[in-house]
């Protein structure tokens, strides 16, 4: 069975109504990244950061996976599929994908503010627990913080993701600008014979000396076209 790695970014979930961060009108226009997505911002105003992610979690209750998510999940019928996502939502899992690696953390989880990557401290929240308050404690007694990889923090899963990319027969990139490192560097781990497809409605400058089959469409429409291509190859 051929191995596929699907690398997804914000454009994957945009059709579901989840705000992108970098595009015009995105979340970084509303909330300076330094305030809500850095350890320094959290230290300066933990309540602002906690409330920001509470709101992001509550948004998950109002959105559904789109056709693109479902088509990615359906690839598992014919391929061994690993999804490597820069997104912190749970839409891939809700669409049926069974092997998802989150590079930047998961909105539905919280952890210790002292030892955020200690697996003993990481906890999945039920929907009725999506509002974290100052004073809510992790198992080690520290304030609960979002299980999110902030700017300036290491990306624990990047080496795991690189191993899967290195074994892939096909890599599919959906809805990412390929500007955010270390995730953007994952394609350097592909084998010479790996087929690479990129789906994005915007023009993406491909920073690799490799042939990449570009499908300049949104996630759902692009995945439909890619399915047709895979059937003929």
């Amino acid at each position: 069975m051929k191995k596929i790695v699907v690398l997804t970014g914000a454009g994957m979930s945009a059709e579901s109504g989840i705000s992108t961060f970098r595009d015009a009108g995105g979340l970084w226009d509303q909330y300076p990244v330094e305030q809500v997505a850095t350890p320094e911002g959290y230290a300066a105003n933990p309540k602002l950061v906690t409330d920001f992610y509470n709101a992001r979690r509550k948004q998950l209750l109002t959105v559904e996976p789109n056709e693109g998510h479902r088509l990615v999940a359906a690839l598992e019928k014919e391929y061994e599929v690993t999804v490597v996502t820069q997104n912190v939502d749970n839409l891939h899992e809700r669409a049926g994908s069974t092997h998802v690696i989150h590079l930047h953390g998961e909105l539905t989880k919280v952890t210790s503010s002292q030892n955020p990557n200690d697996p003993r401290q990481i906890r999945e929240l039920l929907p009725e627990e999506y509002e974290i308050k100052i004073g809510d404690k992790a198992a080690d007694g520290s304030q609960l913080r979002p299980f999110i990889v902030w700017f300036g923090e290491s990306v624990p899963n990047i080496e795991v993701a690189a191993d899967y990319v290195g074994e892939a027969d096909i890599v599919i990139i959906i809805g990412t600008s390929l500007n955010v490192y270390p995730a953007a560097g994952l394609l350097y781990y592909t084998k010479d014979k790996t087929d690479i497809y990129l789906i994005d409605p915007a023009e993406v400058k491909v920073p690799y000396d490799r042939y990449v089959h570009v499908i300049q469409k949104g996630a759902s429409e692009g995945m439909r076209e890619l399915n047709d291509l895979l059937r003929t190859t």
Side-chain angles (χ1 to χ4, degrees):
M1 187 178 281
K2 283 189 173 183
K3 296 179 179 180
I4 289 183
V5 170
V6 185
L7 174 61
T8 67
M12 183 81 236
S13 296
E15 290 178 29
S16 293
I18 291 185
S19 298
T20 60
F21 285 84
R22 295 173 182 279
D23 292 342
L27 287 170
W28 293 154
D29 284 351
Q30 304 169 49
Y31 300 92
V33 60
E34 298 82 9
Q35 290 184 8
V36 297
T38 63
E40 294 78 13
Y42 183 71
N45 195 338
K47 185 177 187 306
L48 173 71
V49 177
T50 299
D51 289 346
F52 175 81
Y53 290 98
N54 285 342
R56 305 282 74 73
R57 275 187 218 102
K58 289 176 185 175
Q59 186 187 26
L60 287 182
L61 300 174
T62 70
V63 299
E64 297 291 337
N66 59 58
E67 185 185 4
H69 290 108
R70 294 191 293 272
L71 289 172
V72 166
L75 290 171
E76 294 188 15
K77 295 174 184 175
E78 298 178 50
Y79 301 92
E80 186 178 322
V81 181
T82 299
V83 176
V84 177
T85 186
Q86 296 167 277
N87 298 336
V88 296
D89 61 60
N90 58 1
L91 295 179
H92 278 299
E93 289 90 344
R94 286 165 58 187
S97 289
T98 60
H99 188 207
V100 183
I101 298 171
H102 285 267
L103 293 180
H104 296 157
E106 299 176 64
L107 259 184
T108 58
K109 294 181 179 180
V110 287
T111 188
S112 158
S113 53
Q114 288 182 348
N115 300 289
N117 293 315
D118 181 347
R120 297 170 298 177
Q121 308 299 330
I122 300 165
R123 180 161 69 89
E124 177 88 31
L125 297 174
L126 297 171
E128 57 268 28
E129 301 174 307
Y130 276 5
E131 181 151 353
I132 296 297
K133 297 179 176 62
I134 298 300
D136 291 343
K137 296 292 198 299
D140 64 2
S142 68
Q143 170 66 37
L144 282 175
R145 61 160 268 185
F147 182 56
I148 300 293
V149 177
W150 287 326
F151 288 93
E153 294 183 323
S154 63
V155 181
N157 279 333
I158 196 68
E159 291 182 5
V160 177
D163 288 342
Y164 279 100
V165 170
E167 293 296 319
D169 301 296
I170 301 168
V171 171
I172 304 166
I173 308 156
I174 308 174
T176 174
S177 65
L178 296 176
N179 286 327
V180 180
Y181 282 84
L186 284 173
L187 287 197
Y188 291 116
Y189 293 89
T190 54
K191 296 180 291 190
D192 290 342
K193 294 182 179 179
T194 299
D195 294 323
I196 304 174
Y197 299 88
L198 187 150
I199 298 170
D200 198 289
E203 187 174 347
V204 177
K205 182 175 172 56
V206 180
Y208 307 99
D209 187 22
R210 289 282 299 276
Y211 173 72
V212 176
H213 187 116
V214 176
I215 300 173
Q216 199 167 340
K217 294 180 178 177
S220 297
E221 193 179 359
M223 274 303 300
R224 287 198 297 271
E225 182 172 322
L226 178 57
N227 269 341
D228 292 339
L229 284 170
L230 291 176
R231 290 191 191 101
T232 60
T233 55

